[in-house]
Amino acid sequence: MTVGELGEFGVIARITGRLPQGASVLLGPGDDAAMVSAPDGRIVVSTDLLLESRHFRRDWSSGYDVGRKAAAQNLADAVAMGAVPTSLVVGLALPADLPVAWLEELTDGLRDECDLVGASVAGGDVTRGPLVVVSVTVLGDLGGRAPVLRSGARPGQVVAVAGRLGWAAAGLALLEREGAGVSGSGGSREVVEAHRRPCPPYAQGPEAAVLGATAMLDVSDGLVQDLGHIAAASGVGIVLEPASLPIAEPVRAAAERLGVDPLDLVLAGGEDHALAAVFPCDIPLTDAWTVVGRVVEGAGVQVSGRAAVSGGWDHFR
């Protein structure tokens, strides 16, 4: 059965029937709007779009993969402010010939990714379109803390990262070169799955806020490019130390297969949704964080011993 055969209200019923509501949702799907609690009195809000053929391909990723990815990139934005995500609202454009089974997988992916942080899909909208478009808005609660902005970095502080770097970029490069039938050798299986379903370090966002992070963001477009946003917002320079950057074995193996420097994947690859944060140098960090650089006087991001790093994601390039 296709979504066109099921019809708009059948599609809505099929989606909402797969979405249990958590405690933060006071009123879920079924009315003109949902209602969620805001214990802090402030709400952290962010939104993202995923467009078929631009951000995912149905011949490379299942509906479940796309659902997990769509939720993950939004949940990561909330935790990067130091907030705990509470709920999502989702807008969908769907081709009429899309199989209902694919839509159900997408819904299950959204639900299961939300389950990792205790959030819910509280509502949304559907319409017909020539391609699949997934628009997700996340709401988050700060728990009484100040938000961690991009503008708080100061010279003398340290830069640390939590989560994966370079995995999704390696997976995308392999898919682009070899297609969905890419073999499982050479670290490919792990990195291809990382492209399909990122694994943000959700707990580390609020943790960083509690520890005293002065600036933070999620690495969606590449470490150097994203840290450049912190440098610009804070009016500082950032120096990264390549020897300190974590390069996982699957990334090394995939880089060898691709014939590229694994460090380039780590520095310029996006979509892992790792967290990069700035901390005062005297704060003891947990094992989830790796110090990779320092904040200095100046501007921009430098990598010790390397020329300017190119790359990073640009939606209009």
Coordinates of all heavy atoms in Angstrom, one line a residue, residues 135-186:
S135 N 10.9 17.8 8.1 CA 11.2 19.1 8.8 C 10.9 18.8 10.3 O 9.8 18.4 10.7 CB 10.3 20.2 8.3 OG 10.5 21.3 9.1
V136 N 11.9 18.9 11.1 CA 11.8 18.6 12.5 C 12.2 19.8 13.4 O 13.2 20.5 13.1 CB 12.8 17.5 12.9 CG1 12.7 17.1 14.4 CG2 12.5 16.2 12.0
T137 N 11.3 20.1 14.3 CA 11.6 21.2 15.3 C 11.7 20.5 16.7 O 10.9 19.7 17.1 CB 10.5 22.2 15.3 OG1 10.4 22.8 14.1 CG2 10.7 23.3 16.4
V138 N 12.8 20.8 17.4 CA 13.0 20.3 18.7 C 12.8 21.3 19.8 O 13.0 22.5 19.6 CB 14.4 19.7 18.9 CG1 15.5 20.8 18.7 CG2 14.6 19.0 20.2
L139 N 12.2 20.9 20.9 CA 12.0 21.8 22.1 C 12.8 21.2 23.2 O 12.9 19.9 23.4 CB 10.5 21.8 22.5 CG 9.5 22.2 21.4 CD1 8.1 22.2 21.9 CD2 9.9 23.6 20.8
G140 N 13.5 22.0 24.0 CA 14.3 21.5 25.1 C 14.2 22.4 26.3 O 13.8 23.5 26.3
D141 N 14.6 21.8 27.4 CA 14.5 22.4 28.8 C 15.9 22.6 29.4 O 16.6 21.6 29.4 CB 13.6 21.6 29.7 CG 13.4 22.2 31.0 OD1 12.6 23.2 31.1 OD2 14.0 21.8 32.0
L142 N 16.1 23.8 29.9 CA 17.5 24.1 30.4 C 17.6 23.7 31.9 O 18.7 23.7 32.4 CB 17.8 25.6 30.3 CG 18.1 26.0 28.8 CD1 18.0 27.5 28.7 CD2 19.5 25.5 28.4
G143 N 16.6 23.3 32.5 CA 16.7 22.9 33.9 C 17.2 24.0 34.9 O 17.9 23.6 35.8
G144 N 16.9 25.2 34.6 CA 17.4 26.3 35.4 C 18.8 26.8 35.1 O 19.2 27.8 35.7
R145 N 19.5 26.2 34.2 CA 20.8 26.6 33.8 C 20.8 27.7 32.8 O 19.8 27.8 32.0 CB 21.6 25.4 33.3 CG 21.8 24.3 34.3 CD 22.6 23.2 33.7 NE 21.9 22.5 32.6 CZ 21.1 21.5 32.7 NH1 20.8 21.1 33.9 NH2 20.4 21.0 31.7
A146 N 21.9 28.4 32.7 CA 22.0 29.4 31.6 C 22.3 28.6 30.3 O 23.0 27.6 30.4 CB 23.2 30.4 31.9
P147 N 21.9 29.0 29.2 CA 22.2 28.3 27.9 C 23.7 28.5 27.6 O 24.3 29.5 28.0 CB 21.4 29.1 26.9 CG 21.1 30.4 27.4 CD 21.0 30.2 28.9
V148 N 24.3 27.5 27.0 CA 25.7 27.6 26.6 C 25.8 28.1 25.2 O 25.3 27.4 24.3 CB 26.4 26.2 26.7 CG1 27.9 26.4 26.4 CG2 26.3 25.6 28.1
L149 N 26.3 29.3 25.0 CA 26.3 30.0 23.7 C 27.6 29.7 23.0 O 28.5 29.1 23.5 CB 26.0 31.5 23.9 CG 24.8 31.8 24.8 CD1 24.7 33.4 24.9 CD2 23.5 31.2 24.2
R150 N 27.7 30.3 21.8 CA 28.9 30.2 21.0 C 29.8 31.4 21.3 O 31.0 31.3 20.9 CB 28.6 30.3 19.5 CG 27.7 29.1 19.0 CD 27.5 29.3 17.5 NE 26.7 28.1 17.0 CZ 26.4 27.9 15.7 NH1 26.8 28.8 14.8 NH2 25.8 26.9 15.3
S151 N 29.4 32.3 22.1 CA 30.1 33.6 22.3 C 30.9 33.7 23.6 O 31.4 34.8 23.9 CB 29.1 34.7 22.2 OG 28.0 34.6 23.1
G152 N 31.0 32.6 24.3 CA 31.6 32.7 25.6 C 33.1 32.3 25.7 O 33.6 32.3 26.8
A153 N 33.7 31.9 24.6 CA 35.1 31.4 24.7 C 36.0 32.6 25.0 O 35.9 33.7 24.4 CB 35.5 30.8 23.4
R154 N 37.1 32.4 25.8 CA 38.0 33.4 26.2 C 39.5 32.8 26.0 O 39.7 31.6 26.3 CB 37.8 33.9 27.6 CG 36.4 34.5 27.8 CD 36.3 35.8 27.1 NE 35.0 36.4 27.3 CZ 34.0 36.3 26.4 NH1 34.1 35.6 25.3 NH2 32.8 36.9 26.7
P155 N 40.4 33.7 25.7 CA 41.8 33.2 25.6 C 42.3 32.6 26.9 O 41.9 33.0 28.0 CB 42.6 34.5 25.3 CG 41.6 35.4 24.6 CD 40.3 35.1 25.3
G156 N 43.0 31.5 26.7 CA 43.5 30.7 27.9 C 42.7 29.5 28.2 O 43.1 28.7 29.0
Q157 N 41.5 29.4 27.6 CA 40.6 28.3 27.9 C 41.0 27.1 26.9 O 41.8 27.3 26.0 CB 39.2 28.7 27.7 CG 38.7 29.7 28.8 CD 37.3 30.1 28.6 OE1 36.7 30.0 27.6 NE2 36.7 30.6 29.8
V158 N 40.4 26.0 27.2 CA 40.7 24.8 26.3 C 39.5 24.4 25.5 O 38.4 24.6 25.9 CB 41.2 23.6 27.2 CG1 42.5 23.9 27.9 CG2 40.1 23.1 28.1
V159 N 39.8 23.7 24.4 CA 38.7 23.2 23.5 C 38.7 21.7 23.6 O 39.7 21.0 23.6 CB 39.0 23.6 22.0 CG1 37.9 23.0 21.1 CG2 39.1 25.1 21.9
A160 N 37.5 21.1 23.9 CA 37.4 19.7 24.0 C 36.3 19.2 23.1 O 35.3 19.9 22.8 CB 37.2 19.3 25.5
V161 N 36.3 17.9 22.8 CA 35.3 17.3 22.0 C 34.8 16.0 22.6 O 35.5 15.4 23.4 CB 35.8 17.0 20.5 CG1 36.1 18.2 19.8 CG2 36.9 16.0 20.6
A162 N 33.5 15.7 22.4 CA 32.9 14.5 22.9 C 32.2 13.9 21.7 O 31.5 14.6 20.9 CB 32.0 14.7 24.0
G163 N 32.3 12.6 21.5 CA 31.6 11.9 20.4 C 32.5 11.6 19.2 O 33.7 11.8 19.3
R164 N 31.9 11.1 18.2 CA 32.6 10.7 17.0 C 33.0 11.9 16.1 O 32.2 12.8 15.9 CB 31.8 9.7 16.2 CG 31.5 8.4 16.9 CD 30.5 7.6 16.0 NE 30.4 6.2 16.5 CZ 29.5 5.4 15.9 NH1 28.8 5.7 14.9 NH2 29.5 4.1 16.3
L165 N 34.1 11.8 15.4 CA 34.6 12.7 14.4 C 35.1 11.9 13.2 O 35.8 11.0 13.3 CB 35.7 13.6 14.9 CG 35.3 14.6 16.0 CD1 36.5 15.3 16.6 CD2 34.3 15.7 15.4
G166 N 34.6 12.3 12.0 CA 35.1 11.7 10.8 C 34.4 10.5 10.3 O 34.5 10.0 9.2
W167 N 33.5 9.9 11.2 CA 32.9 8.6 10.8 C 31.9 8.8 9.7 O 31.9 8.1 8.7 CB 32.1 8.1 12.0 CG 33.0 7.6 13.1 CD1 33.9 8.3 13.9 CD2 33.0 6.2 13.7 NE1 34.5 7.4 14.8 CE2 33.9 6.2 14.7 CE3 32.3 5.1 13.4 CZ2 34.2 5.0 15.4 CZ3 32.5 3.9 14.1 CH2 33.5 3.9 15.1
A168 N 30.9 9.8 9.8 CA 29.9 10.0 8.8 C 30.5 10.4 7.5 O 30.0 10.0 6.4 CB 28.9 11.0 9.3
A169 N 31.5 11.3 7.5 CA 32.1 11.7 6.3 C 32.8 10.6 5.6 O 32.7 10.5 4.3 CB 33.2 12.8 6.6
A170 N 33.4 9.7 6.3 CA 34.0 8.5 5.7 C 33.0 7.6 5.1 O 33.1 7.1 3.9 CB 34.8 7.7 6.7
G171 N 31.9 7.4 5.8 CA 30.8 6.6 5.2 C 30.2 7.2 4.0 O 29.9 6.5 3.0
L172 N 29.9 8.5 4.0 CA 29.4 9.1 2.8 C 30.3 9.0 1.6 O 29.9 8.8 0.5 CB 29.1 10.6 3.1 CG 28.6 11.5 1.9 CD1 27.3 10.9 1.4 CD2 28.4 12.9 2.4
A173 N 31.6 9.2 1.8 CA 32.6 9.1 0.8 C 32.6 7.7 0.1 O 32.7 7.5 -1.1 CB 34.0 9.5 1.3
L174 N 32.5 6.7 1.0 CA 32.4 5.3 0.5 C 31.1 5.1 -0.3 O 31.2 4.4 -1.4 CB 32.5 4.3 1.6 CG 33.9 4.1 2.2 CD1 33.8 3.3 3.5 CD2 34.9 3.5 1.3
L175 N 30.0 5.6 0.2 CA 28.8 5.4 -0.6 C 28.8 6.1 -1.9 O 28.3 5.6 -2.9 CB 27.6 5.9 0.3 CG 27.2 5.0 1.4 CD1 26.2 5.8 2.4 CD2 26.4 3.8 0.9
E176 N 29.4 7.3 -1.9 CA 29.5 8.0 -3.2 C 30.4 7.4 -4.2 O 30.1 7.4 -5.4 CB 30.0 9.5 -2.9 CG 29.0 10.3 -2.2 CD 29.5 11.7 -1.9 OE1 30.8 11.9 -1.7 OE2 28.7 12.7 -1.8
R177 N 31.4 6.7 -3.7 CA 32.3 6.0 -4.6 C 31.9 4.6 -5.0 O 32.0 4.2 -6.2 CB 33.7 5.9 -4.0 CG 34.8 5.5 -5.0 CD 36.2 5.4 -4.4 NE 36.4 4.2 -3.5 CZ 37.5 3.8 -3.1 NH1 38.6 4.6 -3.3 NH2 37.6 2.8 -2.3
E178 N 31.3 3.9 -4.1 CA 31.0 2.5 -4.3 C 29.5 2.1 -4.3 O 29.1 1.0 -4.7 CB 31.7 1.6 -3.3 CG 33.3 1.8 -3.3 CD 34.0 0.9 -2.3 OE1 33.4 -0.1 -1.9 OE2 35.1 1.3 -1.9
G179 N 28.7 3.1 -3.9 CA 27.2 2.8 -3.9 C 26.8 2.0 -2.7 O 27.6 1.6 -1.8
A180 N 25.5 1.7 -2.6 CA 24.9 1.1 -1.5 C 25.4 -0.4 -1.3 O 25.3 -0.9 -0.2 CB 23.4 1.0 -1.6
G181 N 26.0 -0.9 -2.3 CA 26.6 -2.3 -2.2 C 28.0 -2.3 -1.7 O 28.7 -3.3 -1.8
V182 N 28.5 -1.2 -1.1 CA 29.8 -1.2 -0.5 C 30.1 -2.4 0.4 O 29.2 -2.7 1.2 CB 30.1 0.2 0.2 CG1 29.1 0.4 1.3 CG2 31.5 0.2 0.7
S183 N 31.2 -3.0 0.2 CA 31.5 -4.2 1.0 C 31.8 -3.9 2.4 O 32.1 -2.7 2.8 CB 32.7 -5.0 0.4 OG 33.9 -4.2 0.5
G184 N 31.7 -4.9 3.3 CA 31.9 -4.6 4.7 C 33.3 -4.6 5.2 O 33.5 -4.6 6.4
S185 N 34.3 -4.7 4.3 CA 35.7 -4.7 4.7 C 36.2 -3.3 4.9 O 35.6 -2.3 4.4 CB 36.5 -5.5 3.7 OG 36.5 -4.9 2.5
G186 N 37.4 -3.2 5.4 CA 38.1 -1.9 5.5 C 37.4 -0.8 6.3 O 37.5 0.3 6.0

